[in-house]
Amino acid sequence: MPGSRKHRITIRDVAKTAGVSTSSISNYLNGRLNHLRQETIERIRNSIEVLDYSPSSIARQLKTGHTPMLGLLIPSVANPYHAELALALDAAAQEKGYRTVLGNGLRNAEREWAFIEELVNYGVRGIIVTSELRNPQLMRAYMKRGVAFVLFDLLTSELIVEGIDTVSIDNSLATAMAVDHLAALGHKTIAYVTSSTLPANRIARLNGYTSALERLGLGQPLIISQDGEPAITQGDSGLALFGQSVAAPLMKLQPRPSAVIAMNDILAIGLFAGLHKLGLNVPKDVSLVGIDDIQLAGLMVPSLTTIRHDYAGMAKSAIESLQSRFADRNLPSREYIFAPELIARESSAVRRPDKNI
């Protein structure tokens, strides 16, 4: 019956209940929170909950040309670090009224920009990239169209495009902490394993390792890498297998290392498997440290010593950064650097007297 049709809650109803203007409601729904006092934000949020108001995303997109979606570009879900970071970013986005659309760029410039172009055409105006873009100069064209970017694992000094915010752990400090941890356990010959695909964050980790060795007087760096690993360049999908494959050449190094640092956890897990196949015990024969503290790190036997990221803190900074840039496109580039945390577990132990030279 016509008279029984439920009244649809509108933006005017929310404004009336909250005791604010409809423009304040619009600012809230479109993420322009810097235009509102905290008290007003709370009143609007409470009114939306009381009225069970659900804004029409279609109507909002028709009116503004934008959608409450954020693009989230990662190299590949095959690397658990990027998958776990994507989960944290999605949770932080939902808290602010956004949804994320996930794309796997596979560290391929054409795939990366095809994903961004498609989202921008659908009205997405915020893009988060969790690893260095293969062709970052193309961001300029999208920024002229009103798109805001947040890039992970870069510093503002490494940007070639102004007006972009960056979020990162201190990657150089991460590997330095790993070296310091192993040195404190008596290890004097510490190797480092990295892929030959070296975006800025991996270069910083490599530099942190070499600088720490020099600072502690631990001799020349022992670096294992490999050229031409196509599976790794395709979104890190081959990192575990790469780690497994380099266990044998790693143990042939002279002097033979008693401890190894892997550039990330998934590589460390592959390396662990390779050492096991060689009949070597971790940490009895070789201590092992990773970086990222993915969930699998704590479930291994022995559990993996690693360097932890503040996933939630980084995600919150990224989303809030986009929100503020939506409100003011002329903000200068900003940098959010998070301190890493050493998580000492079972894979690192005191060096045995008969090990190492």
Side-chain angles (χ1 to χ4, degrees), residues 286-316:
V286 186
S287 283
L288 179 62
V289 177
I291 299 175
D292 289 340
D293 194 29
I294 61 176
Q295 291 185 19
L296 291 174
L299 300 176
M300 293 174 57
V301 181
S303 55
L304 182 65
T305 293
T306 186
I307 305 296
R308 175 177 291 172
H309 299 259
D310 181 1
Y311 288 96
M314 292 193 299
K316 181 180 179 182

Side-chain angles (χ1 to χ4, degrees), residues 264-280:
N264 60 25
D265 283 353
I266 194 64
L267 195 156
I269 291 172
L271 186 57
F272 176 88
L275 292 170
H276 179 74
K277 283 191 173 184
L278 294 174
L280 296 172

Side-chain angles (χ1 to χ4, degrees), residues 14-311:
V14 178
K16 183 178 179 180
T17 301
V20 300
S21 66
T22 55
S23 61
S24 294
I25 304 299
S26 178
N27 283 333
Y28 178 88
L29 294 175
N30 287 284
R32 297 188 290 268
L33 302 186
N34 59 321
H35 292 184
L36 303 171
R37 293 181 300 175
Q38 187 60 40
E39 177 189 1
T40 302
I41 293 172
E42 294 299 329
R43 286 161 62 188
I44 294 173
R45 183 181 293 122
N46 291 336
S47 297
I48 288 174
E49 291 179 358
V50 169
L51 296 175
D52 194 24
Y53 172 66
S54 177
S56 170
S57 59
I58 295 176
R60 190 192 310 178
Q61 185 172 351
L62 288 173
K63 182 178 179 180
T64 66
H66 303 305
T67 176
M69 295 283 185
L70 300 176
L72 178 51
L73 178 62
I74 68 175
S76 173
V77 292
N79 186 336
Y81 160 71
H82 293 290
E84 293 184 23
L85 179 56
L87 188 63
L89 284 163
D90 184 63
Q94 290 194 43
E95 287 185 4
K96 298 296 184 179
Y98 297 97
R99 296 283 181 177
T100 57
V101 180
L102 181 68
N104 294 276
L106 303 184
R107 300 190 189 275
N108 176 282
E110 291 185 4
R111 284 184 61 101
E112 290 172 351
W113 291 107
F115 172 75
I116 292 172
E117 174 68 16
E118 184 173 5
L119 291 189
V120 171
N121 287 338
Y122 275 109
V124 172
R125 56 179 181 154
I127 306 290
I128 302 168
V129 184
T130 67
S131 187
E132 188 175 353
L133 289 166
R134 304 296 283 183
N135 187 358
Q137 294 188 18
L138 291 177
M139 285 187 291
R140 287 192 178 96
Y142 289 100
M143 291 171 68
K144 291 179 180 178
R145 294 166 62 179
V147 179
F149 287 88
V150 172
L151 306 183
F152 274 73
D153 283 334
L154 278 174
L155 304 178
T156 54
S157 60
E158 297 165 335
L159 290 173
I160 63 172
V161 181
E162 291 296 323
I164 292 173
D165 298 330
T166 63
V167 181
S168 179
I169 67 163
D170 189 329
N171 284 289
S172 179
L173 179 59
T175 41
M177 291 173 68
V179 172
D180 287 342
H181 168 68
L182 292 168
L185 294 174
H187 295 280
K188 299 178 181 178
T189 308
I190 303 169
Y192 185 71
V193 179
T194 181
S195 75
S196 59
T197 304
L198 291 175
N201 66 318
R202 293 180 182 175
I203 293 174
R205 292 182 186 185
L206 180 59
N207 291 340
Y209 159 74
T210 57
S211 296
L213 290 187
E214 182 178 0
R215 169 170 52 83
L216 296 173
L218 294 179
Q220 294 298 311
L222 295 173
I223 300 169
I224 285 286
S225 184
Q226 181 177 348
D227 294 325
E229 65 278 29
I232 295 175
T233 60
Q234 293 299 311
D236 302 349
S237 59
L239 281 175
L241 291 176
F242 167 62
Q244 185 179 39
S245 71
V246 298
L250 177 68
M251 290 297 99
K252 293 178 181 178
L253 291 176
Q254 293 298 326
R256 176 171 161 171
S258 66
V260 183
I261 301 168
M263 73 172 188
N264 60 25
D265 283 353
I266 194 64
L267 195 156
I269 291 172
L271 186 57
F272 176 88
L275 292 170
H276 179 74
K277 283 191 173 184
L278 294 174
L280 296 172
N281 178 277
V282 174
K284 183 178 179 181
D285 297 311
V286 186
S287 283
L288 179 62
V289 177
I291 299 175
D292 289 340
D293 194 29
I294 61 176
Q295 291 185 19
L296 291 174
L299 300 176
M300 293 174 57
V301 181
S303 55
L304 182 65
T305 293
T306 186
I307 305 296
R308 175 177 291 172
H309 299 259
D310 181 1
Y311 288 96

